[in-house]
Amino acid sequence: MSPPLAAILSLSQLMVESNAGTMFELVKELHDGAEELKRHTTNPISLNAGCELFIAFVTLFPHESDSFAELKTELVKQGQKYAKEAISYRNKIAELMLDFIKDDSVILTHSYSRVVMRALLHAHKTKRISVYVTEARPRGLGVKTHEVLTAVGIPCTVVLDSAVAYVMDKVDFVLVGSEAVVESGGLINAVGSNQMAIIAKAAHKPFYALAESYKFHRLFPLSQYDLPTHNPSILSFPSLPPRPFVTPPTTSGVSPPIAKSGIDESLNVTPTSSSERSMSAEMTAKNPDVDYTRPDLISLVFSDVGILTPEAISQYLVAMFAG
Amino acid sequence: MAPAPSLPIHPPNGPVNGDASKQPPQGRSSQKSMTKAERRELQEKQRAAKAAAKAGGPVNGAPSKQAAKPTPQATAAATPKRPTKSNEAPAPTASALRTQTAARARAASVSVPTPANARGLRIFSHFGLPKPVSVAKGDIHPTILRLALQFSEFKITGANARCIATLSAFKTVIQDYATPPNNTLSRHLMTYLSPQISHLVAARPMSVTMGNAIRQLKLEISGSDIDLPEQDAKDALCQKIDNYIRDRIIIADQVIEETAGNKIKDGDVILTYARSSVVQKVLLGAHAEGRQFSVIVVDSRPMLEGKRLLSVLASAGIQCTYILLPALGAIITEVTLVLVGAHSIHSNGAVYSRAGTALVAMMAKLHSVPVVVCCETYKYSETVQLDSFTKNELAPQGDLFSSFPSVKARDSLTLENDEHLEILNPLYDLTPPNCITAVVTEVGVIPPNSIGSIPVALGRLL
């Protein structure tokens, strides 16, 4: 179950157990509940999307019932019905995607995404496809994708994150999932998606994003560093100990030994085999989890409400949330 | 050089040389006493005389505009004088007419207007050349007269300021209005207001904001209840005007101030261009909330509006830098956010704003700096605008804009039209939608390509 759906279900549960007497109190409790949920996760974006959607739904629900208790039960019922229906959204999206996958397509995807899996497995039933998937460091979820696809018989190869440009010319189109689709029509997804989109644009390959409608978010990031997940420690430079002054060597090739060891100690390089090294946990912490892909790099967004262009996302969000 | 014989540039303070309107023939005291046929005949006669005088010179098509008459060279004609609002040209005698024709011949022989020159003017001749504010036809309320004069002298500038001033003036006009007998307020008031509006437009072309506001006002007037007593109806209209200003401008600005302010982070270097009232509010608001940022104000001639913004921001304690537009390339790498205002936004997402904004936006885009346009929804125009020159406005010549004492003599700094030089100062330009990252309105932050959703969002609120 994806975070936004879980959020919706838990907020519905909150409503059942709440003893608010008026709409105002109820909405306030929901806001507090949402805040609590957000506090306990490092990446609150998609969770936020679900919470905001549910709260907006509750606020805009027509008040036809006479008593407040009736209204509450109605709302809870609607919330649970929505969560149940939402499970079927992935199938709807997979069906929409099917027409865009031709026989013998070579698809590039990123990391592991449940909705992309559903679409690929659905397509595999009637068409021949082969898939490249990126490793998606540091979590390495691309390997999980590889396991799942190979198990059903789809030819799949894992490519290095750095080899995306290398492989792009062999690919027919790029397919990614999403954490959230934002107001600008852009995409927030696992880090590496932006890179892939830029390379796809340069190679003139279509870039498709799959997103359920509860992932649409009113956020509007102006740049990568405007994301709520960005904090000053990401991509920050370490504060190194001051280099001791060493007279420059008269012969070339002799580097001052003191400074070098100082740098080594502060970096905590975990020695593995001599041919491969990996980043330390400290180094990984300085890297982002998600990135923002601009709308002009995205060809189409496939969603349960239809196949939308990035510009249409904003119009949908305005229609959903305004007034 | 004579300006292209068919297309002279008239500064709003009247043509540099002398005559404002047609020259009545001898024996007649004013144009108004002639019938249309006689005026046409006079014009043909003058045209023939001019063609004869310009023997051998390139002949440009005679204009259809009645008012655009070639001005004879300063050497021969009367000294430049600033015309008053009324028809001041004393009826020249036949001899004067002859000397002027001779002067034109002299002018023609002195310097033949080159085709390139004439062509250049032809391109921009549709800009609505600033016309002299002539005496108004019909009964113009003194508030409107004053406002028109303020507009034509650029004492009130900026889309919001002009709209608020116009609406306030109309409130006075409506209060002073008395419905004539056998008429209803809802029908007659509009016909009463029309010449007032035309007078304002003659002083300076109407802004999109004024247009939208007036359209809304007309809607309110036509919808006003017939059975209401007159004073009540007038009060209701004034109340509606107040509500419009409050809802679409003042409160909208507050919402924009908050929304755009949230985009400003500590340590930001914000660049703004010229002076937008909304951007000023955003920056002051964010500063009052305690955010730490610095501002670079980019300015350009002739209006140099940035100076006013600079003094306001600096006195509020914001760290500011002031540069002129040509220096933009040098500092753009330091900038983290560009905030600009708009005169109007169009349904294709293009932003029509002070000339120079497009340059700032394009430069920012090239350096991956986000460009945020702060714009109220009442500035939205249903039209599609693709370039800067199908619709624009020329700044008047002369020294209207300098508000600070300067060290050099003013005259040496002010460019004037002369023999081989024609000054062209468009006031607005168009920023294409792909250079804009986001548009902040009071209904939300909207990507430029989806500006069309504003009416949808508004429809829900209104």
Side-chain angles (χ1 to χ4, degrees):
Chain A
M1 170 162 293
S2 58
L5 280 185
I8 291 175
L9 277 179
S10 46
L11 287 179
S12 317
Q13 195 59 29
L14 177 70
M15 275 207 308
V16 170
E17 295 175 12
S18 108
N19 42 14
T22 63
M23 190 51 130
F24 185 77
E25 281 178 34
L26 184 65
V27 173
K28 187 166 182 321
E29 277 190 29
L30 287 176
H31 274 297
D32 293 339
E35 285 301 311
E36 188 64 33
L37 284 172
K38 276 181 246 178
R39 256 199 292 274
H40 290 275
T41 169
T42 47
N43 179 11
I45 298 183
S46 57
L47 192 72
N48 230 338
C51 293
E52 304 238 329
L53 178 67
F54 190 67
I55 295 175
F57 168 73
V58 164
T59 326
L60 296 172
F61 194 71
H63 310 311
E64 282 153 2
S65 35
D66 296 323
S67 83
F68 189 68
E70 256 180 54
L71 181 64
K72 244 179 30 181
T73 34
E74 184 62 34
L75 283 171
V76 170
K77 212 164 50 177
Q78 291 284 342
Q80 285 166 342
K81 191 170 91 172
Y82 182 81
K84 223 183 313 227
E85 249 179 52
I87 308 286
S88 69
Y89 286 169
R90 293 205 187 118
N91 292 329
K92 271 197 214 157
I93 294 174
E95 195 57 52
L96 286 174
M97 190 63 220
L98 189 61
D99 286 328
F100 282 72
I101 301 177
K102 296 197 194 57
D103 216 9
D104 268 339
S105 292
V106 178
I107 304 171
L108 174 64
T109 186
H110 183 58
S111 186
Y112 179 82
S113 159
R114 282 169 290 217
V115 60
V116 171
M117 283 294 106
R118 189 71 62 84
L120 291 177
L121 293 172
H122 185 68
H124 179 62
K125 292 184 203 147
T126 47
K127 306 191 184 186
R128 277 192 297 255
I129 54 171
S130 26
V131 177
Y132 289 112
V133 59
T134 49
E135 185 191 4
R137 298 213 55 218
R139 296 173 69 194
L141 285 173
V143 181
K144 183 171 169 192
T145 308
H146 177 263
E147 283 165 20
V148 173
L149 292 179
T150 320
V152 291
I154 301 178
C156 179
T157 299
V158 182
V159 306
L160 295 168
D161 295 330
S162 30
V164 170
Y166 196 95
V167 81
M168 189 56 76
D169 284 330
K170 279 183 175 268
V171 162
D172 290 321
F173 62 87
V174 181
L175 192 61
V176 299
S178 58
E179 292 260 344
V181 172
V182 290
E183 177 106 47
S184 59
L187 186 74
I188 298 184
N189 198 22
V191 61
S193 317
N194 188 27
Q195 208 156 283
M196 211 178 272
I198 294 173
I199 296 172
K201 182 101 190 210
H204 309 293
K205 306 285 177 180
F207 184 92
Y208 299 132
L210 303 183
E212 301 92 318
S213 59
Y214 51 77
K215 288 186 177 159
F216 288 9
H217 199 333
R218 290 221 85 180
L219 194 62
F220 198 125
L222 297 177
S223 69
Q224 302 295 341
Y225 318 116
D226 198 23
L227 286 174
T229 48
H230 186 75
N231 57 64
S233 71
I234 291 183
L235 300 179
S236 62
F237 288 109
S239 52
L240 294 170
R243 285 169 61 143
F245 179 72
V246 178
T247 48
T250 47
T251 58
S252 59
V254 177
S255 46
I258 311 163
K260 198 171 185 178
S261 62
I263 291 171
D264 268 347
E265 272 163 28
S266 67
L267 289 180
N268 280 341
V269 176
T270 43
T272 54
S273 68
S274 54
S275 57
E276 264 189 46
R277 298 168 192 267
S278 9
M279 289 163 78
S280 68
E282 212 181 291
M283 289 181 198
T284 315
K286 291 209 171 145
N287 281 272
D289 288 323
V290 294
D291 64 19
Y292 167 66
T293 306
R294 284 194 333 261
D296 53 294
L297 300 170
I298 302 169
S299 309
L300 288 173
V301 175
F302 290 78
S303 151
D304 47 278
V305 295
I307 306 177
L308 303 170
T309 58
E311 292 87 23
I313 303 283
S314 163
Q315 290 172 349
Y316 173 81
L317 278 171
V318 166
M320 273 285 300
F321 284 92
Chain B
M1 163 215 75
S6 48
L7 299 166
I9 307 279
H10 286 290
N13 304 312
V16 174
N17 308 310
D19 62 277
S21 53
K22 303 180 276 282
Q23 303 140 24
Q26 67 179 137
R28 301 276 184 165
S29 50
S30 90
Q31 289 281 288
K32 288 189 182 156
S33 54
M34 288 195 278
T35 66
K36 195 165 183 170
E38 286 167 310
R39 277 198 292 253
R40 179 61 49 82
E41 198 183 284
L42 165 70
Q43 198 182 18
E44 292 300 323
K45 215 178 349 173
Q46 287 175 339
R47 232 175 256 167
K50 188 199 357 168
K54 290 236 178 302
V59 180
N60 297 309
S64 51
K65 284 197 294 183
Q66 297 252 321
K69 271 297 196 282
T71 59
Q73 268 300 309
T75 48
T79 53
K81 58 183 181 232
R82 287 176 177 278
T84 59
K85 281 192 281 200
S86 47
N87 293 337
E88 88 302 330
T93 58
S95 53
L97 187 61
R98 243 178 280 126
T99 46
Q100 281 180 334
T101 324
R104 260 178 247 140
R106 257 202 300 276
S109 54
V110 159
S111 50
V112 173
T114 62
N117 221 341
R119 216 173 293 135
L121 287 174
R122 208 173 291 148
I123 290 177
F124 294 116
S125 65
H126 64 281
F127 269 2
L129 303 170
K131 301 179 205 104
V133 181
S134 57
V135 100
K137 300 180 184 66
D139 212 2
I140 307 292
H141 196 280
T143 325
I144 301 287
L145 284 175
R146 192 162 130 259
L147 191 64
L149 199 56
Q150 285 176 319
F151 279 173
S152 66
E153 304 210 333
F154 284 77
K155 293 280 189 280
I156 302 182
T157 56
N160 283 347
R162 281 165 69 191
C163 182
I164 294 179
T166 312
L167 287 178
S168 310
F170 278 141
K171 264 175 37 185
T172 321
V173 172
I174 288 177
Q175 286 296 1
D176 288 351
Y177 166 77
T179 319
N182 299 328
N183 255 313
T184 53
L185 181 127
S186 58
R187 277 173 223 147
H188 185 258
L189 182 56
M190 276 204 283
T191 49
Y192 177 68
L193 283 179
S194 293
Q196 326 269 352
I197 297 171
S198 314
H199 185 75
L200 286 178
V201 173
R204 200 184 151 189
M206 189 142 70
S207 62
V208 168
T209 47
M210 280 164 64
N212 285 346
I214 290 174
R215 198 173 313 128
Q216 185 68 18
L217 178 63
K218 287 188 175 170
L219 193 66
E220 297 291 350
I221 293 176
S222 65
S224 75
D225 196 353
I226 289 187
D227 296 324
L228 275 182
E230 184 171 318
Q231 189 54 44
D232 287 355
K234 292 200 286 191
D235 288 341
L237 281 175
C238 290
Q239 184 62 40
K240 294 241 170 65
I241 291 179
D242 281 334
N243 288 350
Y244 188 85
I245 296 179
R246 184 196 64 202
D247 294 336
R248 306 300 295 275
I249 309 180
I250 311 287
I251 294 193
D253 281 352
Q254 284 172 359
V255 178
I256 293 174
E257 188 185 314
E258 202 183 303
T259 318
N262 286 335
K263 288 290 177 202
I264 299 178
K265 290 183 264 302
D266 286 344
D268 266 352
V269 177
I270 300 176
L271 185 128
T272 185
Y273 181 75
R275 180 186 171 270
S276 160
S277 51
V278 194
V279 172
Q280 180 177 300
K281 288 180 191 170
V282 169
L283 294 174
L284 291 175
H287 183 72
E289 278 190 19
R291 292 173 210 262
Q292 306 293 325
F293 58 91
S294 60
V295 176
I296 301 179
V297 178
V298 182
D299 208 2
S300 79
R301 292 200 58 212
M303 295 186 75
L304 288 175
E305 293 163 302
K307 287 184 180 177
R308 258 165 68 204
L309 179 64
L310 181 69
S311 63
V312 170
L313 294 181
S315 46
I318 301 176
Q319 191 177 1
C320 294
T321 309
Y322 178 85
I323 62 167
L324 293 178
L325 190 56
L328 183 62
I331 51 93
I332 191 73
T333 47
E334 314 274 327
V335 178
T336 57
L337 177 68
V338 172
L339 270 181
V340 290
H343 173 102
S344 63
I345 43 173
H346 297 266
S347 53
N348 62 322
V351 166
Y352 188 71
S353 184
R354 179 68 67 226
T357 312
L359 291 172
V360 171
M362 288 178 198
M363 182 74 90
K365 160 131 195 222
L366 207 59
H367 292 263
S368 305
V369 178
V371 175
V372 174
V373 176
C374 300
C375 180
E376 302 89 338
T377 54
Y378 86 115
K379 287 178 178 165
Y380 173 74
S381 160
E382 305 266 319
T383 60
V384 167
Q385 189 116 346
L386 300 172
D387 54 53
S388 310
F389 50 84
T390 41
K391 170 190 162 199
N392 209 322
E393 192 186 329
L394 290 179
Q397 289 183 42
D399 196 26
L400 289 180
F401 299 122
S402 37
S403 49
F404 285 68
S406 65
V407 181
K408 292 193 205 159
R410 219 29 94 61
D411 304 330
S412 64
L413 293 176
T414 314
L415 285 175
E416 301 246 334
N417 284 347
D418 74 3
E419 205 174 293
H420 295 290
L421 181 68
E422 204 71 40
I423 313 294
L424 201 67
N425 263 324
L427 283 177
Y428 298 105
D429 69 11
L430 196 80
T431 308
N434 63 348
C435 296
I436 301 168
T437 316
V439 178
V440 178
T441 66
E442 70 266 25
V443 295
V445 185
I446 307 182
N449 287 318
S450 316
I451 289 288
S453 58
I454 285 187
V456 173
L458 280 179
R460 299 290 184 96
L461 292 171
L462 291 175

